[in-house]
Amino acid sequence: MALIGSGLLAILLVLSRTPGIQDVFPLKDFFRAALVVHVDLSVAIWFMAFAAVIWSALGRDGFAWLGWSGFALAAAGTALMTVSPFLPGADPVLNNYIPVLQQKYFYASLWICAAGFGLAVLRALLTTWPRPFLGAPLQSGAFLGAVAAFLALAAFVWSWVVVPRIEEKIYFEVLFWGGGHTLQFQHALLMVVAWLWIADHLRRPSAAPPPGRPKAGQANDAEPRSGEHPSPPPSGRGPGGGLSVSARALSAMFWIAALPLLVVPAIYFTIPAGELPHMELFAKLMIWGHPYMAPLILVGFLAVWATRRMPAHAAKSAFIASFSLFAVGGVLAYMIQGVNVVIPAHYHGSTVGVTLAFMGLAYVLLPQLGFGEVEGRMARWQPYVYGGGQLIHILGLAWSGGYGVQRKVAGAEQALTTLPQKIGMGMMGLGGLIAVIGGIMFVLVCLKLMLPRKR
């Protein structure tokens, strides 16, 4: 539901920045409010919701009340967030990570969502602890993702307590700065978990649903037993997609990738939140911390290479597209110079890489949860349409950024005076619309399997 709402708003965002169209549709005033909710639904809500899917699937039984309470709160908060732009007083602030609407309803939605996801994170910490410690790589990745989420939520609360209420944009930038940087480690770790899970699924002899599961269009007469988990294995011990990498080595790679998280509490304990050195250190944490994931990224590359001769499957398409977009986003990160649209080009590549990994894992999980096998050309092509559109989108942004187009502006404020600027933003608009079509395709594939059917 978060992706549906985000996709509808994305159509308006793309139109409001596309040369020619932006002059026909008077969307400039709506652009910023739509951008706030689009970002929060597509990144904060969707990513945290699917993180909870992974934690629930790989975690042990117990503390179910935490899971259900967290789900109820997060769903209520998301519903309120979605309608908040249409309620009085929605004044947007385009800060990084979690942009906000200065409005009591939106503030309430943030607190309710935070409480819900906080309960989900607490349950994840209690149920995903890897057993054995260095023999369950998927559980290790899931647990360390939960650790990153816990530190991020703690950072948000800490900043809210200590940062004085100053000019609004600066205040919210500081408020979400430390926790927002920390959340990136959660997303990256869980993306690799999804990669390895997909690769392990693809190498299995048969992609048919497990015994007792219905195929597409059949009724689900065999309800899953209490405590039953999807596979690959509920222990989380699956190897790296059939590669010659031991479970112990993969687990160690996850722990190495999470080592930079130790710096997060150290920064908060030593430098007050809101001071310039505090923010600079978190920027450096991104630059120097994410290279610790290099061994896992290499395993991901080897895993995606190993799929080249495997039969076509929607999850395989998503895996290839996810790795490609994430790699492009990583390269663009080192091309950022100044405050221009190269920045959103970088993070669209990285975040779309995570989104595609989660889409692929959804295709793996749907039949295992009793919704039927993901089949057909639309499912197989959906990741390529979505990922290809996003690739055109971010290349257009990167091109335009090289010619000085600024970020977070729309309409005439973009000052598109030269032909290269117009070509770049035209690519951005075309790619964005293609990506929206790909997102709609994902929703349709999932709803086709998930909606109730007659026998």
Side-chain angles (χ1 to χ4, degrees), residues 52-95:
V53 170
I54 294 175
W55 293 328
S56 298
L58 291 175
R60 293 174 291 277
D61 295 336
F63 304 100
W65 65 272
L66 283 175
W68 284 112
S69 300
F71 168 72
L73 287 171
T78 301
L80 181 57
M81 179 184 294
T82 304
V83 301
S84 61
F86 306 101
L87 300 175
D91 185 15
V93 181
L94 299 181
N95 54 285

Side-chain angles (χ1 to χ4, degrees), residues 141-407:
F143 173 77
L144 292 169
V147 171
F150 172 79
L151 290 174
L153 291 172
F156 291 145
V157 174
W158 190 322
S159 297
W160 177 73
V161 171
V162 303
V163 174
R165 193 63 180 252
I166 48 181
E167 194 272 326
E168 295 302 323
K169 183 174 181 180
I170 298 176
Y171 172 75
F172 287 112
E173 186 79 5
V174 172
L175 181 65
F176 294 114
W177 186 259
H181 279 73
T182 307
L183 271 180
Q184 307 314 304
F185 287 89
Q186 173 202 310
H187 303 331
L189 288 166
L190 295 182
M191 176 189 68
V192 177
V193 169
W195 284 352
L196 298 181
W197 195 327
I198 292 170
D200 189 76
H201 173 79
L202 292 175
R203 75 181 177 87
R204 291 169 182 252
S206 173
R213 305 291 188 180
K215 294 183 179 180
Q218 291 182 342
N220 186 7
D221 294 322
E223 291 296 328
R225 297 183 302 275
S226 176
E228 184 174 319
H229 290 282
S231 59
S235 65
R237 299 180 190 177
L243 301 174
S244 56
V245 181
S246 71
R248 292 174 64 87
L250 274 176
S251 298
M253 291 178 194
F254 275 111
W255 286 93
I256 291 171
L259 279 177
L261 292 172
L262 296 173
V263 180
V264 174
I267 295 175
Y268 270 89
F269 280 123
T270 56
I271 302 176
E275 293 190 1
L276 183 59
H278 178 97
M279 302 185 73
E280 289 176 341
L281 283 175
F282 272 105
K284 291 179 179 178
L285 176 63
M286 293 286 287
I287 297 172
W288 300 108
H290 282 300
Y292 280 74
M293 289 200 61
L296 286 174
I297 302 301
L298 177 59
V299 170
F301 171 75
L302 295 175
V304 77
W305 179 256
T307 66
R308 68 191 186 281
R309 295 179 181 177
M310 295 179 182
H313 190 280
K316 175 184 175 180
S317 304
F319 188 8
I320 295 171
S322 171
F323 187 90
S324 303
L325 267 292
F326 188 79
V328 171
V331 171
L332 289 175
Y334 293 95
M335 298 174 61
I336 295 174
Q337 294 181 351
V339 182
N340 53 51
V341 288
V342 177
I343 297 174
H346 149 64
Y347 70 66
H348 271 88
S350 300
T351 57
V352 169
V354 178
T355 291
L356 280 162
F358 290 171
M359 286 178 172
L361 185 53
Y363 288 149
V364 171
L365 289 176
L366 279 170
Q368 297 177 5
L369 296 174
F371 290 113
E373 184 70 20
V374 179
E375 299 173 329
R377 279 187 292 181
M378 185 166 77
R380 291 196 299 271
W381 279 99
Q382 178 273 320
Y384 292 135
V385 174
Y386 181 70
Q390 287 288 4
L391 181 60
I392 297 172
H393 180 85
I394 65 176
L395 290 179
L397 286 173
W399 173 279
S400 302
Y403 286 93
V405 176
Q406 299 299 293
R407 62 185 302 216

